Amino acid sequence: MFRNVAELVEKAESQGISIAEVMIRQEMEFGELSREAVVARMERNLDVMEQAVDKGLAGVHSLSGLTGGDAVLMQQYIAKGNTLSGPFILDAVSKAVATNEVNAAMGMICATPTAGSAGVVPGTLFAVRETLKPTREQMVNFLFTAGAFGFVIANNASVSGAAGGCQAEVGSATGMAAAALVELAGGTPEQSAHGMAIALKNLLGLVCDPVAGLVEVPCVKRNAMGAAVAMVAADMSLAGIKSRIPADEVIEAMYRIGQGMPSALRETARGGLAATPTGKKLAEQIFGEKQ
Amino acid sequence: MKYNSVFDIIGPIMVGPSSSHTAGAAIIGRLARSVFGREPKRADIHLYGSFAETYRGHATDVAIVGGLLDFDTNDERIPNSLQLAKEAGLIVEFHKEEAVPEHPNTTKIRLEDERGSLEVIGVSIGGGKVEITELNGFKLRLNGMYPAILVLHNDRYGVISGVTNILTHHHVNIGHMEVSRKEKGQMALMVIEVDQNLEDAILDEIRKLDHVTQVTRMSP
């Protein structure tokens, strides 16, 4: 069993296999399952992700009314043809938003690694599907690669906003997506690790400050930005740019920052955006009286 | 290692909006119900830390009650569970606690009916993973991943080997086992994680042992 990114990369390189393959073999061993069973379970997750993206792109709204409809707006904007960031990144953005809008509406999603951060990985995957044209097997492998890096982060730091802030949720998801994008685009395991490190480094310190305690503001737009960062970090790594700080040390830094964060900024809705005048007013409007 | 499977990271498939505050909460509720072994008539749900601060926004209350009604994390009835509990005759009361817990996502659930009561403390550690950390005042660590049997007994010599002998006899492999007691010679609890679901006959055999007071099965 690999315990950190260095071991994960070493396993893949010494055996001449992909990160996804390392993860699949470990899962077979851990669960005493056949390859077919492990792959089939991930295929179900992929199906749920695709359905959530489709549902969000068709337009959903949360009960509170705080979020919804933005995935549609972004698609309409892309269709006009003259965007600043370019259609690929914005497509990932819209699909990440779509997933989180469905989540906020209490629809069905696949936690990746959590529900609040469920948009980043599928957002980037379904966006590059148009350009990289992966087979279904490659799409499933994308999720195993993302999962392998998430596995390391969860075991050495945290993927919980309450424990480590949003850096542990959207930050982890962004690192996972970047690593998987690199592999899907033909990068090496080492390049995946650099992509993960570059992405996560740039979301360190991100606080969890949900307005009214809802997984809506700023969560949905943070997934959008996570998807954009993941795409850029993957491109940087594929260009040969390296993270000066190794991935495992970035994860360790994330853990320590999370521990040092005041509880007001760890999913208690008592600090950050939740504590702004508008944030408080929205909470009162939604729940009738002061919580 | 807190997480052993890639499906702890990519998964669970669930109803939004939060894996720790909705899915994890539902799993804790369902585990409590599973240990209780029958439909409770009353549930007192105490919420601590982040659970206490944000439970309405995350539907943590709704999710725990969904779990108590035996709903899975992807059950689309979860959003309506408070109403469904009422219809099923389950009285639910929430208690928002000020105390600072060891883990920010902590809940204490007390279930009861005319036959008895059960108190469970559960924490949701992120991504839908949970741990039961206390049961009727006994410290333990149970994550609901494997079938388990809980044996409440008097703290006497020979009881533990009596139970393991029965399991040996039926070729049941023990994956993990914890024994704890509140005071020497008083009440004690055995938590035994096994590799397969146990038949009623085996549980009955354990129940008949001297000094065993209660045997409960927990299925993942």
Side-chain angles (χ1 to χ4, degrees):
Chain A
M1 190 174 269
F2 57 90
R3 288 164 300 174
N4 50 44
V5 173
E7 286 179 9
L8 175 63
V9 170
E10 204 279 324
K11 267 191 176 215
E13 287 185 340
S14 67
Q15 296 175 48
I17 55 178
S18 65
I19 301 264
E21 186 59 29
V22 174
M23 191 71 250
I24 291 171
R25 289 183 190 179
Q26 178 170 304
E27 191 65 29
M28 288 165 62
E29 203 173 310
F30 164 73
E32 292 173 18
L33 293 164
S34 67
R35 167 179 289 270
E36 290 70 32
V38 170
V39 169
R41 190 159 170 201
M42 195 60 93
E43 281 181 352
R44 275 206 302 281
N45 288 339
L46 180 64
D47 288 341
V48 170
M49 290 178 191
E50 185 165 24
Q51 286 155 15
V53 167
D54 289 348
K55 195 171 171 189
L57 288 180
V60 288
H61 289 273
S62 69
L63 269 179
S64 74
L66 280 183
T67 51
D70 289 350
V72 177
L73 285 181
M74 183 48 82
Q75 282 294 336
Q76 289 166 351
Y77 173 71
I78 297 168
K80 283 186 195 155
N82 48 356
T83 66
L84 300 175
S85 314
F88 301 129
I89 286 184
L90 293 183
D91 193 36
V93 163
S94 77
K95 286 168 179 166
V97 168
T99 302
N100 284 85
E101 286 181 339
V102 169
N103 181 58
M106 285 189 89
M108 196 80 73
I109 54 98
C110 176
T112 315
T114 68
S117 61
V120 179
V121 169
T124 52
L125 172 58
F126 289 105
V128 297
R129 182 169 58 172
E130 319 295 331
T131 44
L132 297 180
K133 309 237 182 290
T135 60
R136 190 165 163 79
E137 188 188 351
Q138 285 174 315
M139 291 180 78
V140 169
N141 284 344
F142 185 96
L143 299 181
F144 279 113
T145 304
F149 281 91
F151 182 85
V152 170
I153 297 170
N155 277 314
N156 293 287
S158 176
V159 293
S160 151
C166 196
Q167 58 165 11
E169 294 207 33
V170 168
S172 297
T174 305
M176 289 159 58
L181 284 165
V182 169
E183 184 164 286
L184 183 62
T188 65
E190 200 200 334
Q191 283 178 313
S192 278
H194 283 297
M196 200 285 321
I198 291 168
L200 184 56
K201 275 198 303 190
N202 285 286
L203 291 168
L204 288 180
L206 192 59
V207 303
C208 183
D209 51 354
V211 168
L214 298 162
V215 193
E216 300 201 42
V217 176
C219 319
V220 174
K221 293 188 184 79
R222 289 230 176 113
N223 275 267
M225 298 313 291
V229 169
M231 298 276 277
V232 175
D235 265 334
M236 285 172 75
S237 179
L238 288 164
I241 298 171
K242 291 179 176 169
S243 171
R244 289 282 180 200
I245 309 294
D248 287 313
E249 292 182 39
V250 175
I251 293 169
E252 204 186 313
M254 192 266 263
Y255 177 64
R256 284 200 307 269
I257 292 167
Q259 280 194 316
M261 237 177 232
S263 81
L265 300 176
R266 282 187 287 139
E267 210 169 347
T268 54
R270 286 192 281 112
L273 295 169
T276 57
T278 302
K280 286 197 237 175
K281 202 163 73 192
L282 288 170
E284 280 178 46
Q285 276 170 17
I286 293 161
F287 292 120
E289 82 288 3
K290 283 195 176 161
Q291 282 218 60
Chain B
M1 304 275 274
K2 288 178 288 183
Y3 298 79
N4 296 306
S5 166
V6 70
F7 299 110
D8 292 336
I9 309 299
I10 312 287
I13 294 169
M14 56 169 283
V15 169
S18 167
S19 46
S20 55
H21 290 62
T22 318
I27 294 168
I28 294 172
R30 199 169 187 216
L31 285 175
R33 148 85 182 238
S34 163
V35 177
F36 193 61
R38 53 193 188 270
E39 193 142 330
K41 290 277 171 354
R42 182 186 166 88
D44 283 277
I45 301 168
H46 302 258
L47 300 163
Y48 300 84
S50 176
F51 268 9
E53 299 293 340
T54 66
Y55 72 95
R56 285 197 286 187
H58 284 111
T60 306
D61 47 353
V62 175
I64 292 176
V65 173
L68 293 178
L69 293 172
D70 214 19
F71 297 167
D72 204 351
T73 55
N74 61 355
D75 195 312
E76 291 182 278
R77 291 173 296 178
I78 283 181
N80 304 317
S81 68
L82 296 183
Q83 182 58 34
L84 293 169
K86 206 179 270 178
E87 286 166 21
L90 168 61
I91 299 163
V92 181
E93 204 166 303
F94 293 98
H95 309 269
K96 186 177 157 178
E97 302 290 347
E98 299 285 336
V100 179
E102 210 170 291
H103 191 283
N105 299 330
T106 299
T107 178
K108 180 170 82 186
I109 304 174
R110 193 187 143 82
L111 302 177
E112 62 178 86
D113 66 2
E114 59 288 336
R115 284 166 59 193
S117 68
L118 172 83
E119 194 176 279
V120 165
I121 296 182
V123 299
S124 180
I125 63 173
K129 280 277 280 182
V130 307
E131 281 173 5
I132 300 296
T133 59
E134 214 177 297
L135 199 147
N136 281 346
F138 288 103
K139 298 272 181 216
L140 57 103
R141 183 162 287 213
L142 200 60
N143 61 22
M145 291 266 296
Y146 306 96
I149 44 173
L150 312 173
V151 182
L152 210 56
H153 60 102
N154 294 318
D155 181 31
R156 300 280 191 281
Y157 79 90
V159 182
I160 295 169
S161 67
V163 172
T164 53
N165 279 341
I166 290 173
L167 295 177
T168 308
H169 180 71
H170 290 280
H171 302 284
V172 175
N173 188 37
I174 295 174
H176 181 80
M177 179 161 172
E178 267 181 54
V179 183
S180 57
R181 58 187 179 187
K182 284 180 187 162
E183 252 179 86
K184 209 170 167 179
Q186 303 292 308
M187 200 179 275
L189 176 75
M190 257 182 265
V191 179
I192 309 169
E193 284 180 350
V194 293
D195 290 349
Q196 73 252 44
N197 276 313
L198 298 187
E199 299 147 30
D200 290 337
I202 303 178
L203 296 188
D204 284 341
E205 228 177 288
I206 296 173
R207 278 190 195 103
K208 284 187 193 130
L209 287 173
D210 281 348
H211 305 299
V212 167
T213 47
Q214 199 187 324
V215 181
T216 317
R217 170 180 34 206
M218 211 176 82
S219 311

